Amino acid sequence: MTTKKQIALALSGGGVRAMVFHIGVFKYLAERQALERISHISSVSGGSLLLGLILQDAKMKWPSSDNFLAQSFPAIRQREYAEQNSSTL
C-alpha cells in the first residue's frame, strides 16, 4: 500500500503580488487533487490574507480541491478584479 506524501506550504509576504502568486499555486495543486494533502501552512502578509479569503469563502473549513476550483478560486479572482478596477478611479 502506498500513501501519498503530505504537503507543507510556506507562503511569503508581498501584499497583493504575493496573493496573486499564491492563488496560482493553490490552483495548480487543486488541479492535481492535492489540496487534501496539505498538512501544514506557514504564512505572512499576502499569504495570510489569501488564506483568510479561502477560509472565509469555504465557511472556515479547508476546501477540497474540487470545491476550491468550483467555488473559492472564481470568487477570489472576482474580488481581486473588482478591487483592481475600483482602485483605478
Side-chain angles (χ1 to χ4, degrees):
M1 179 176 154
T2 61
T3 58
K4 293 188 177 191
K5 291 184 179 181
Q6 296 295 302
I7 297 171
L9 294 178
L11 306 179
S12 66
V16 173
R17 283 182 276 183
M19 290 175 67
V20 171
F21 176 80
H22 296 318
I23 198 161
V25 171
F26 277 98
K27 182 176 183 267
Y28 176 88
L29 292 170
E31 289 171 341
R32 284 146 186 82
Q33 299 296 303
L35 289 186
E36 293 78 5
R37 293 176 33 213
I38 295 174
S39 60
H40 295 81
I41 299 175
S42 176
S43 67
V44 297
S45 188
S48 298
L49 293 171
L50 177 61
L51 286 174
L53 288 174
I54 291 170
L55 290 171
Q56 178 187 25
D57 187 69
K59 298 180 177 43
M60 302 311 289
K61 294 182 180 179
W62 190 247
S64 68
S65 294
D66 292 335
N67 204 13
F68 177 82
L69 291 171
Q71 190 172 358
S72 299
F73 180 75
I76 294 168
R77 290 293 295 148
Q78 185 176 12
R79 282 187 200 126
E80 288 176 352
Y81 180 76
E83 283 186 28
Q84 285 176 345
N85 286 334
S86 68
S87 66
T88 58
L89 295 177

